[in-house]
Amino acid sequence: MRRSMVLCRSLFLALCLVAIGNAASRAAAIVDLAGRRVELPAKVERIVLGEGRFLPALAILEEDPASRLVGMMGEFELLDPGNYGNFVKAFPRLANVPRIGRTSQDSFSLEQTLALKPQVAIFGLHGHGPNSRSAEVIDTLQAAGVEIVFIDFRSDPLVNTPKSIALLGQVLGREARAAEFIKAWQDALGQVQDRLSTTRPEPPRVFLESRVGLSEGCCETMVHGMMAGLVDAAGGVNIAKEIIPGQAGTISLEFLLTHQPDIYIGTAIGNGVRDDPEWVTLGAGIPATVAQASLARSMQRVGIAELSAVKDGRAHAIWHHFYNSPFNVVAVQVFAKWLHPELFADLDPEALMQGLYRRFQPFAVDGVYWTSLR
């Protein structure tokens, strides 16, 4: 009981201190992706991230994405250690930024967040941290004077990515930089969409296997939003869309074998090399030969090896974290080349990714982010 009372007093004191500090000045009002009106402080200097994987989005706009960061969730180093390591190498202070949770909403610490006295919390509509349905978190932070801005790269990535970057530009006072990225992103997407709308090619049937090797067996997939939205944008038909409700689910191997896709695409979860023969390895620091060998091993799984797409070499793998990345347009171009190789023979997604990193990230592309069986 005594410990509970001490915690309550501490939480109340933190609420009061943060509220007093944040009420000092207000500047612009924006509307975030949850449709909420948000009044931004005149100068935003203290931010917490509801997902550590929003760091690359901050780095698009800020020379030092750690400069205003006072706290973040800890899923980045756990789910994508290669890229997290690149960020820490460039900005060592990131390793000491307090973590306000690990990989789930349940792990988020409201008390720890309040103690950090943030002015603004950047949360995702959905994902690994607090989201737009986290009523207690939202109410408590707002009562403390912490403004919350919801962004999204995963639920509706091709609609919400430019909106999210624009919102971050407003939060950080980097509107011009945000506009520069948005134009580059829209130009790259237009290279695919304009040609598809003009030529209207026959859409191939695609099976998108999610997080290959993370668990035994087959066949987890995505059908709406996330990576599935990128397949749609590249001119494909997702064979599981009609039978899976929601954004993701699992189809049976029997369904897959009796509804054979023209093209197989697996997503590689991306947290390093593992001995598991089913594991597909892609991401920061991964050599091309290692990536392709891991896909070849994975395609030997029972049932998967019987797919015509695999036997004929129309099997590919892509870095899973494109599903929650502002650089998702690179995956759209990769898919377009796989789904319509003649129509998009001149596209160069590798050059696109290198160019986007050169202009909008603090380090060059490191590693291989997609591979093919042949």
Coordinates of all heavy atoms in Angstrom, one line a residue, residues 191-280:
Q191 N 6.6 6.8 -61.0 CA 7.3 6.0 -62.1 C 6.6 4.7 -62.3 O 6.5 4.1 -63.4 CB 8.7 5.8 -61.7 CG 9.6 7.0 -61.9 CD 11.1 6.7 -61.6 OE1 11.4 6.5 -60.4 NE2 11.9 6.6 -62.6
V192 N 6.0 4.1 -61.2 CA 5.2 2.9 -61.3 C 3.8 3.1 -61.6 O 3.2 2.5 -62.6 CB 5.4 2.1 -59.9 CG1 4.5 0.8 -60.0 CG2 6.8 1.7 -59.7
Q193 N 3.1 4.0 -60.9 CA 1.7 4.1 -61.1 C 1.3 4.7 -62.4 O 0.3 4.3 -63.0 CB 1.2 5.0 -59.9 CG 1.2 4.4 -58.6 CD 0.5 5.2 -57.5 OE1 0.5 6.4 -57.5 NE2 -0.1 4.5 -56.6
D194 N 2.1 5.6 -62.9 CA 1.8 6.2 -64.2 C 1.8 5.2 -65.3 O 1.0 5.1 -66.2 CB 2.7 7.4 -64.5 CG 2.5 8.6 -63.6 OD1 1.5 8.6 -62.8 OD2 3.4 9.5 -63.6
R195 N 2.9 4.4 -65.3 CA 3.0 3.4 -66.4 C 2.0 2.3 -66.3 O 1.5 1.8 -67.3 CB 4.4 2.8 -66.3 CG 4.9 2.1 -67.6 CD 6.4 1.7 -67.5 NE 7.3 2.8 -67.3 CZ 8.6 2.7 -67.2 NH1 9.1 1.5 -67.4 NH2 9.4 3.7 -66.9
L196 N 1.6 1.9 -65.0 CA 0.6 0.9 -64.9 C -0.8 1.4 -65.3 O -1.6 0.7 -66.0 CB 0.5 0.5 -63.4 CG 1.6 -0.5 -62.8 CD1 1.4 -0.6 -61.3 CD2 1.5 -1.8 -63.6
S197 N -1.1 2.7 -65.0 CA -2.4 3.2 -65.5 C -2.5 3.4 -67.0 O -3.6 3.3 -67.5 CB -2.6 4.6 -64.8 OG -1.6 5.5 -65.2
T198 N -1.3 3.6 -67.6 CA -1.3 3.7 -69.1 C -1.4 2.4 -69.8 O -2.1 2.2 -70.8 CB 0.0 4.5 -69.5 OG1 0.0 5.7 -68.8 CG2 0.0 4.7 -71.0
T199 N -0.6 1.4 -69.3 CA -0.5 0.2 -70.1 C -1.5 -0.9 -69.6 O -1.8 -1.8 -70.3 CB 0.9 -0.4 -69.9 OG1 1.2 -0.6 -68.5 CG2 1.9 0.6 -70.5
R200 N -1.9 -0.8 -68.4 CA -2.9 -1.8 -67.8 C -2.5 -3.2 -68.0 O -3.3 -4.0 -68.7 CB -4.3 -1.5 -68.3 CG -4.8 -0.1 -67.9 CD -6.3 0.1 -68.4 NE -6.8 1.4 -68.0 CZ -7.3 1.7 -66.8 NH1 -7.3 0.7 -65.9 NH2 -7.7 2.9 -66.5
P201 N -1.4 -3.7 -67.6 CA -1.0 -5.1 -67.8 C -1.8 -6.0 -67.0 O -2.4 -5.7 -65.9 CB 0.5 -5.1 -67.3 CG 0.5 -4.0 -66.3 CD -0.4 -2.9 -66.7
E202 N -1.8 -7.3 -67.4 CA -2.5 -8.3 -66.6 C -1.9 -8.5 -65.3 O -0.6 -8.8 -65.2 CB -2.5 -9.7 -67.4 CG -3.3 -10.8 -66.8 CD -4.8 -10.6 -66.9 OE1 -5.2 -9.8 -67.7 OE2 -5.5 -11.1 -66.0
P203 N -2.6 -8.4 -64.2 CA -1.9 -8.5 -62.9 C -1.6 -9.9 -62.5 O -2.5 -10.8 -62.5 CB -3.0 -7.9 -61.9 CG -4.3 -8.1 -62.6 CD -4.0 -8.0 -64.1
P204 N -0.4 -10.2 -62.2 CA 0.0 -11.6 -61.7 C -0.6 -11.9 -60.4 O -0.8 -11.0 -59.5 CB 1.5 -11.6 -61.8 CG 1.9 -10.2 -61.5 CD 0.8 -9.3 -62.2
R205 N -0.8 -13.2 -60.1 CA -1.3 -13.6 -58.8 C 0.0 -13.8 -57.9 O 0.9 -14.5 -58.2 CB -2.0 -14.9 -58.9 CG -3.3 -14.8 -59.7 CD -3.8 -16.2 -60.2 NE -3.8 -17.2 -59.1 CZ -4.6 -17.3 -58.2 NH1 -5.7 -16.5 -58.1 NH2 -4.5 -18.3 -57.3
V206 N -0.1 -13.2 -56.7 CA 1.1 -13.1 -55.8 C 0.7 -13.7 -54.4 O -0.4 -13.5 -53.9 CB 1.5 -11.6 -55.6 CG1 2.7 -11.6 -54.6 CG2 1.8 -11.0 -56.9
F207 N 1.6 -14.5 -53.9 CA 1.5 -14.9 -52.5 C 2.6 -14.2 -51.7 O 3.8 -14.3 -52.1 CB 1.7 -16.4 -52.3 CG 1.7 -16.8 -50.9 CD1 0.7 -16.5 -50.0 CD2 2.8 -17.5 -50.3 CE1 0.7 -16.8 -48.6 CE2 2.9 -17.9 -49.0 CZ 1.8 -17.5 -48.1
L208 N 2.2 -13.5 -50.7 CA 3.2 -12.7 -49.9 C 3.3 -13.4 -48.5 O 2.4 -13.3 -47.7 CB 2.6 -11.3 -49.7 CG 3.4 -10.3 -48.9 CD1 4.8 -10.0 -49.5 CD2 2.7 -9.0 -48.7
E209 N 4.4 -14.1 -48.3 CA 4.6 -14.8 -47.0 C 5.3 -13.9 -46.1 O 6.4 -13.4 -46.4 CB 5.3 -16.1 -47.2 CG 5.4 -16.9 -45.9 CD 6.1 -18.2 -46.0 OE1 6.7 -18.5 -47.0 OE2 6.0 -19.0 -45.0
S210 N 4.7 -13.7 -44.9 CA 5.2 -12.7 -44.0 C 6.2 -13.4 -43.0 O 5.9 -14.4 -42.4 CB 4.1 -12.0 -43.2 OG 4.5 -11.1 -42.3
R211 N 7.3 -12.7 -42.7 CA 8.2 -13.0 -41.6 C 8.7 -14.5 -41.7 O 8.5 -15.3 -40.8 CB 7.6 -12.8 -40.2 CG 7.2 -11.3 -40.1 CD 6.7 -11.0 -38.7 NE 5.6 -11.8 -38.2 CZ 5.0 -11.7 -37.1 NH1 5.5 -10.8 -36.2 NH2 4.0 -12.4 -36.7
V212 N 9.2 -14.8 -42.9 CA 9.6 -16.2 -43.2 C 10.6 -16.7 -42.2 O 11.6 -16.1 -41.9 CB 10.2 -16.3 -44.6 CG1 10.6 -17.7 -44.9 CG2 9.1 -15.9 -45.6
G213 N 10.3 -17.9 -41.6 CA 11.3 -18.5 -40.7 C 11.1 -18.1 -39.2 O 11.7 -18.7 -38.3
L214 N 10.3 -17.1 -39.0 CA 10.1 -16.6 -37.6 C 9.4 -17.7 -36.8 O 9.6 -17.8 -35.6 CB 9.3 -15.3 -37.5 CG 9.2 -14.7 -36.2 CD1 10.6 -14.2 -35.7 CD2 8.3 -13.4 -36.2
S215 N 8.5 -18.5 -37.4 CA 7.9 -19.6 -36.7 C 7.9 -20.8 -37.7 O 8.2 -20.6 -38.9 CB 6.4 -19.3 -36.3 OG 5.7 -18.9 -37.5
E216 N 7.6 -21.9 -37.2 CA 7.6 -23.1 -38.0 C 6.4 -23.1 -39.0 O 5.4 -22.6 -38.7 CB 7.6 -24.4 -37.2 CG 8.9 -24.6 -36.3 CD 8.8 -25.9 -35.6 OE1 7.8 -26.6 -35.7 OE2 9.8 -26.2 -34.9
G217 N 6.6 -23.8 -40.1 CA 5.5 -24.0 -41.0 C 5.3 -22.8 -41.9 O 6.1 -22.0 -42.2
C218 N 4.0 -22.8 -42.4 CA 3.6 -21.8 -43.4 C 2.1 -21.5 -43.1 O 1.5 -22.3 -42.5 CB 3.8 -22.4 -44.8 SG 3.3 -21.3 -46.2
C219 N 1.5 -20.5 -43.3 CA 1.8 -19.5 -44.3 C 1.2 -18.2 -43.9 O 0.1 -17.8 -44.3 CB 1.2 -19.9 -45.7 SG 1.7 -21.5 -46.3
E220 N 1.9 -17.5 -43.0 CA 1.5 -16.2 -42.5 C 1.5 -15.2 -43.7 O 2.5 -15.2 -44.5 CB 2.3 -15.7 -41.4 CG 1.9 -14.3 -40.8 CD 2.8 -13.9 -39.7 OE1 2.6 -14.3 -38.5 OE2 3.8 -13.1 -40.0
T221 N 0.6 -14.3 -43.8 CA 0.6 -13.4 -44.9 C -0.1 -12.0 -44.5 O -0.7 -11.9 -43.4 CB -0.2 -14.0 -46.1 OG1 -0.1 -13.1 -47.2 CG2 -1.7 -14.1 -45.8
M222 N 0.1 -11.0 -45.4 CA -0.5 -9.7 -45.2 C -1.4 -9.5 -46.4 O -1.0 -9.8 -47.5 CB 0.6 -8.6 -45.1 CG 1.5 -8.7 -43.9 SD 2.8 -7.5 -43.9 CE 4.1 -8.4 -44.8
V223 N -2.6 -8.9 -46.2 CA -3.6 -8.8 -47.3 C -4.1 -7.3 -47.4 O -4.6 -7.0 -48.5 CB -4.8 -9.7 -47.1 CG1 -4.3 -11.2 -47.2 CG2 -5.5 -9.5 -45.7
H224 N -4.0 -6.5 -46.4 CA -4.4 -5.1 -46.5 C -3.4 -4.3 -45.8 O -2.9 -4.6 -44.7 CB -5.8 -4.9 -45.9 CG -6.9 -5.6 -46.6 ND1 -7.4 -5.2 -47.8 CD2 -7.6 -6.7 -46.3 CE1 -8.3 -6.0 -48.2 NE2 -8.5 -6.9 -47.3
G225 N -3.1 -3.1 -46.3 CA -2.1 -2.2 -45.7 C -0.7 -2.8 -45.7 O -0.4 -3.8 -46.4
M226 N 0.2 -2.3 -44.9 CA 1.5 -2.8 -44.7 C 2.1 -3.2 -46.1 O 2.0 -2.4 -47.0 CB 1.5 -4.0 -43.7 CG 1.0 -3.6 -42.3 SD 1.2 -4.8 -41.1 CE 0.0 -6.0 -41.5
M227 N 2.8 -4.3 -46.1 CA 3.5 -4.7 -47.4 C 2.4 -5.1 -48.5 O 2.7 -5.0 -49.7 CB 4.4 -5.9 -47.1 CG 5.5 -6.1 -48.1 SD 6.8 -4.8 -47.9 CE 7.8 -5.7 -46.7
A228 N 1.2 -5.5 -48.0 CA 0.2 -5.9 -49.0 C -0.2 -4.7 -49.9 O -0.4 -4.8 -51.1 CB -1.0 -6.5 -48.3
G229 N -0.2 -3.5 -49.3 CA -0.6 -2.3 -50.1 C 0.5 -2.0 -51.1 O 0.2 -1.5 -52.2
L230 N 1.7 -2.4 -50.9 CA 2.8 -2.2 -51.8 C 2.7 -3.1 -53.0 O 3.0 -2.8 -54.1 CB 4.2 -2.3 -51.1 CG 4.3 -1.5 -49.8 CD1 5.8 -1.7 -49.3 CD2 3.9 -0.1 -49.9
V231 N 2.3 -4.4 -52.7 CA 2.0 -5.3 -53.8 C 0.9 -4.8 -54.7 O 1.0 -4.8 -56.0 CB 1.7 -6.7 -53.3 CG1 1.2 -7.6 -54.4 CG2 2.9 -7.3 -52.5
D232 N -0.2 -4.3 -54.1 CA -1.3 -3.7 -54.9 C -0.8 -2.6 -55.8 O -1.1 -2.5 -57.0 CB -2.4 -3.2 -54.0 CG -3.1 -4.3 -53.2 OD1 -2.9 -5.5 -53.5 OD2 -3.7 -4.0 -52.1
A233 N 0.0 -1.7 -55.2 CA 0.5 -0.6 -55.9 C 1.4 -1.0 -57.1 O 1.5 -0.2 -58.1 CB 1.2 0.4 -55.0
A234 N 2.1 -2.1 -57.0 CA 3.0 -2.6 -58.0 C 2.2 -3.4 -59.1 O 2.9 -3.9 -60.0 CB 4.1 -3.4 -57.4
G235 N 0.9 -3.5 -59.0 CA 0.1 -4.2 -60.0 C 0.0 -5.7 -59.9 O 0.0 -6.4 -60.9
G236 N -0.1 -6.1 -58.6 CA -0.3 -7.5 -58.4 C -1.7 -7.8 -57.7 O -2.3 -6.9 -57.2
V237 N -2.1 -9.1 -57.8 CA -3.3 -9.6 -57.1 C -2.9 -10.5 -56.0 O -2.2 -11.5 -56.2 CB -4.2 -10.3 -58.1 CG1 -5.4 -11.0 -57.3 CG2 -4.8 -9.3 -59.1
N238 N -3.2 -10.2 -54.8 CA -2.9 -11.0 -53.6 C -3.9 -12.1 -53.5 O -5.1 -11.9 -53.3 CB -3.0 -10.1 -52.3 CG -2.4 -10.7 -51.1 OD1 -2.6 -11.9 -50.9 ND2 -1.7 -9.9 -50.3
I239 N -3.4 -13.4 -53.6 CA -4.3 -14.5 -53.6 C -5.0 -14.8 -52.3 O -6.0 -15.5 -52.3 CB -3.5 -15.8 -54.0 CG1 -2.5 -16.2 -52.9 CG2 -2.8 -15.7 -55.4 CD1 -1.9 -17.6 -53.1
A240 N -4.5 -14.2 -51.2 CA -5.1 -14.4 -49.9 C -6.1 -13.4 -49.5 O -6.8 -13.5 -48.5 CB -4.0 -14.6 -48.8
K241 N -6.2 -12.3 -50.3 CA -7.0 -11.2 -49.9 C -8.5 -11.5 -49.7 O -9.2 -11.0 -48.8 CB -6.9 -10.1 -51.0 CG -7.7 -8.8 -50.6 CD -7.4 -7.7 -51.5 CE -6.0 -7.1 -51.3 NZ -5.7 -5.9 -52.1
E242 N -9.0 -12.5 -50.5 CA -10.4 -12.8 -50.4 C -10.8 -13.7 -49.2 O -12.0 -13.8 -48.9 CB -10.9 -13.5 -51.7 CG -10.7 -12.6 -52.9 CD -11.5 -11.3 -52.8 OE1 -12.6 -11.3 -52.3 OE2 -11.0 -10.2 -53.2
I243 N -9.8 -14.3 -48.6 CA -10.1 -15.2 -47.5 C -9.6 -14.8 -46.1 O -9.9 -15.4 -45.1 CB -9.6 -16.6 -47.8 CG1 -8.1 -16.6 -47.9 CG2 -10.2 -17.2 -49.1 CD1 -7.5 -18.0 -48.0
I244 N -8.8 -13.7 -46.1 CA -8.2 -13.3 -44.8 C -8.9 -12.0 -44.4 O -8.8 -11.0 -45.1 CB -6.7 -13.1 -44.9 CG1 -6.0 -14.4 -45.2 CG2 -6.2 -12.5 -43.6 CD1 -6.0 -15.4 -44.1
P245 N -9.6 -11.9 -43.3 CA -10.2 -10.7 -42.8 C -9.1 -9.8 -42.1 O -8.1 -10.3 -41.7 CB -11.2 -11.1 -41.8 CG -10.7 -12.4 -41.2 CD -10.0 -13.1 -42.4
G246 N -9.3 -8.5 -42.1 CA -8.3 -7.7 -41.4 C -7.1 -7.5 -42.3 O -7.1 -7.6 -43.5
Q247 N -5.9 -7.1 -41.6 CA -4.7 -6.8 -42.3 C -3.8 -8.0 -42.6 O -3.1 -8.1 -43.6 CB -3.9 -5.8 -41.5 CG -4.5 -4.4 -41.5 CD -3.6 -3.4 -41.0 OE1 -2.9 -3.6 -39.9 NE2 -3.5 -2.2 -41.6
A248 N -3.9 -9.0 -41.7 CA -2.9 -10.1 -41.8 C -3.6 -11.4 -41.2 O -4.6 -11.3 -40.4 CB -1.6 -9.8 -41.0
G249 N -3.0 -12.5 -41.6 CA -3.5 -13.8 -41.1 C -2.7 -14.9 -41.7 O -1.6 -14.7 -42.2
T250 N -3.2 -16.1 -41.6 CA -2.5 -17.3 -42.1 C -3.4 -18.2 -42.9 O -4.6 -18.4 -42.6 CB -2.0 -18.2 -40.9 OG1 -1.2 -17.4 -40.0 CG2 -1.2 -19.4 -41.4
I251 N -2.9 -18.5 -44.1 CA -3.7 -19.5 -45.0 C -3.1 -20.8 -44.8 O -2.0 -21.0 -44.3 CB -3.6 -19.0 -46.4 CG1 -2.2 -19.1 -47.0 CG2 -4.2 -17.6 -46.6 CD1 -2.1 -18.9 -48.5
S252 N -3.8 -21.8 -45.2 CA -3.3 -23.2 -45.1 C -2.4 -23.5 -46.3 O -2.5 -22.9 -47.4 CB -4.5 -24.2 -45.1 OG -5.1 -24.2 -46.3
L253 N -1.5 -24.5 -46.0 CA -0.7 -24.9 -47.1 C -1.5 -25.6 -48.2 O -1.2 -25.4 -49.4 CB 0.4 -25.9 -46.6 CG 1.5 -26.4 -47.6 CD1 2.2 -25.2 -48.1 CD2 2.4 -27.4 -46.9
E254 N -2.6 -26.2 -47.8 CA -3.4 -26.8 -48.9 C -4.0 -25.8 -49.8 O -4.1 -26.0 -51.0 CB -4.6 -27.6 -48.2 CG -4.1 -28.9 -47.5 CD -3.4 -28.6 -46.1 OE1 -3.5 -27.5 -45.6 OE2 -2.7 -29.5 -45.6
F255 N -4.5 -24.6 -49.2 CA -5.0 -23.6 -50.0 C -4.0 -23.0 -51.0 O -4.2 -22.8 -52.2 CB -5.5 -22.4 -49.1 CG -6.1 -21.2 -49.9 CD1 -7.4 -21.2 -50.3 CD2 -5.2 -20.2 -50.3 CE1 -7.9 -20.1 -51.1 CE2 -5.7 -19.1 -51.0 CZ -7.0 -19.1 -51.4
L256 N -2.8 -22.9 -50.4 CA -1.7 -22.3 -51.3 C -1.4 -23.2 -52.5 O -1.2 -22.8 -53.6 CB -0.4 -22.1 -50.4 CG 0.8 -21.5 -51.1 CD1 0.5 -20.1 -51.7 CD2 2.0 -21.4 -50.2
L257 N -1.4 -24.5 -52.2 CA -1.0 -25.5 -53.3 C -2.1 -25.6 -54.3 O -1.9 -26.0 -55.4 CB -0.7 -26.9 -52.6 CG 0.6 -26.9 -51.8 CD1 0.8 -28.2 -51.1 CD2 1.8 -26.6 -52.7
T258 N -3.4 -25.4 -53.9 CA -4.5 -25.5 -54.8 C -4.8 -24.2 -55.5 O -5.7 -24.1 -56.3 CB -5.7 -26.1 -54.1 OG1 -6.0 -25.3 -53.0 CG2 -5.5 -27.5 -53.7
H259 N -4.2 -23.1 -55.0 CA -4.4 -21.7 -55.6 C -3.1 -21.2 -55.9 O -2.7 -20.2 -55.3 CB -5.2 -20.8 -54.7 CG -6.6 -21.3 -54.4 ND1 -6.9 -22.4 -53.5 CD2 -7.8 -20.9 -54.8 CE1 -8.2 -22.6 -53.5 NE2 -8.8 -21.7 -54.2
Q260 N -2.4 -21.8 -56.8 CA -0.9 -21.5 -57.0 C -0.7 -20.1 -57.4 O -1.4 -19.6 -58.4 CB -0.4 -22.5 -58.0 CG -0.3 -23.9 -57.6 CD 1.1 -24.4 -57.2 OE1 2.1 -23.7 -57.6 NE2 1.2 -25.5 -56.6
P261 N 0.2 -19.3 -56.8 CA 0.5 -18.0 -57.2 C 1.4 -18.0 -58.4 O 2.2 -19.0 -58.7 CB 1.2 -17.4 -56.0 CG 1.9 -18.6 -55.4 CD 1.0 -19.7 -55.6
D262 N 1.4 -16.9 -59.2 CA 2.4 -16.8 -60.3 C 3.7 -16.4 -59.7 O 4.8 -16.7 -60.3 CB 1.9 -15.7 -61.3 CG 0.6 -16.0 -61.9 OD1 0.4 -17.1 -62.4 OD2 -0.3 -15.1 -61.9
I263 N 3.7 -15.7 -58.6 CA 4.9 -15.1 -58.0 C 4.9 -15.3 -56.5 O 3.9 -15.0 -55.9 CB 5.1 -13.7 -58.3 CG1 5.4 -13.5 -59.9 CG2 6.3 -13.0 -57.6 CD1 5.4 -12.1 -60.3
Y264 N 6.0 -15.8 -55.9 CA 6.1 -15.9 -54.5 C 7.0 -14.8 -54.0 O 8.1 -14.6 -54.5 CB 6.7 -17.3 -54.1 CG 7.2 -17.4 -52.6 CD1 6.3 -17.9 -51.7 CD2 8.4 -16.9 -52.2 CE1 6.7 -18.0 -50.4 CE2 8.8 -16.9 -50.9 CZ 7.9 -17.5 -50.0 OH 8.3 -17.6 -48.7
I265 N 6.6 -14.1 -52.9 CA 7.5 -13.1 -52.2 C 7.4 -13.4 -50.7 O 6.4 -13.4 -50.1 CB 7.0 -11.7 -52.5 CG1 7.0 -11.4 -54.0 CG2 7.8 -10.7 -51.7 CD1 6.4 -10.0 -54.3
G266 N 8.6 -13.6 -50.2 CA 8.7 -13.8 -48.7 C 9.3 -12.5 -48.1 O 10.1 -11.8 -48.7
T267 N 8.9 -12.2 -46.9 CA 9.5 -11.1 -46.2 C 10.5 -11.6 -45.1 O 10.2 -12.5 -44.4 CB 8.5 -10.1 -45.5 OG1 7.9 -10.7 -44.3 CG2 7.3 -9.8 -46.5
A268 N 11.7 -11.0 -45.1 CA 12.8 -11.4 -44.2 C 12.7 -10.5 -43.0 O 12.9 -9.3 -43.2 CB 14.1 -11.3 -45.0
I269 N 12.6 -11.1 -41.8 CA 12.4 -10.2 -40.6 C 13.6 -9.3 -40.3 O 13.4 -8.3 -39.8 CB 12.0 -11.1 -39.4 CG1 11.5 -10.3 -38.3 CG2 13.2 -12.0 -39.0 CD1 10.1 -9.7 -38.6
G270 N 14.8 -9.8 -40.7 CA 15.9 -8.8 -40.8 C 16.7 -8.6 -39.6 O 17.4 -7.6 -39.5
N271 N 16.6 -9.5 -38.6 CA 17.5 -9.2 -37.4 C 18.7 -10.2 -37.4 O 19.0 -10.8 -36.4 CB 16.7 -9.2 -36.1 CG 16.0 -10.5 -35.9 OD1 16.0 -11.3 -36.8 ND2 15.4 -10.7 -34.7
G272 N 19.4 -10.2 -38.5 CA 20.7 -10.9 -38.5 C 20.7 -12.3 -39.1 O 19.6 -12.8 -39.4
V273 N 21.9 -12.8 -39.2 CA 22.1 -14.2 -39.7 C 21.8 -15.2 -38.6 O 22.1 -15.0 -37.5 CB 23.5 -14.4 -40.2 CG1 23.7 -15.8 -40.7 CG2 23.8 -13.3 -41.3
R274 N 21.0 -16.2 -39.0 CA 20.7 -17.3 -38.0 C 21.0 -18.7 -38.7 O 21.0 -18.8 -39.9 CB 19.2 -17.2 -37.6 CG 19.0 -16.1 -36.7 CD 17.5 -15.9 -36.3 NE 16.8 -17.1 -36.0 CZ 15.6 -17.1 -35.4 NH1 15.1 -16.0 -35.0 NH2 14.9 -18.2 -35.3
D275 N 21.2 -19.7 -37.9 CA 21.4 -21.0 -38.4 C 20.2 -21.7 -38.9 O 20.2 -22.7 -39.6 CB 22.1 -21.8 -37.3 CG 23.5 -21.3 -37.1 OD1 24.1 -20.7 -38.0 OD2 24.0 -21.5 -35.9
D276 N 19.0 -21.2 -38.4 CA 17.7 -21.8 -38.8 C 17.6 -21.9 -40.3 O 17.7 -20.9 -41.0 CB 16.6 -20.9 -38.2 CG 15.2 -21.6 -38.4 OD1 15.1 -22.4 -39.3 OD2 14.3 -21.2 -37.6
P277 N 17.5 -23.1 -40.9 CA 17.4 -23.2 -42.3 C 16.2 -22.5 -43.0 O 16.2 -22.3 -44.2 CB 17.4 -24.7 -42.5 CG 16.9 -25.3 -41.3 CD 17.3 -24.4 -40.2
E278 N 15.2 -22.2 -42.2 CA 14.0 -21.6 -42.8 C 14.2 -20.1 -42.8 O 13.4 -19.4 -43.4 CB 12.8 -22.0 -42.0 CG 12.4 -23.4 -42.0 CD 11.2 -23.8 -41.3 OE1 10.7 -22.9 -40.5 OE2 10.7 -24.9 -41.4
W279 N 15.2 -19.5 -42.1 CA 15.3 -18.1 -41.9 C 15.8 -17.4 -43.2 O 16.8 -17.9 -43.8 CB 16.3 -17.9 -40.8 CG 16.4 -16.5 -40.3 CD1 17.4 -15.6 -40.6 CD2 15.6 -15.8 -39.4 NE1 17.2 -14.4 -40.0 CE2 16.1 -14.5 -39.2 CE3 14.4 -16.2 -38.7 CZ2 15.4 -13.6 -38.4 CZ3 13.8 -15.3 -37.9 CH2 14.3 -14.0 -37.7
V280 N 15.2 -16.4 -43.7 CA 15.7 -15.6 -44.8 C 16.4 -14.3 -44.2 O 15.8 -13.6 -43.4 CB 14.5 -15.2 -45.7 CG1 15.1 -14.3 -46.9 CG2 13.8 -16.4 -46.3

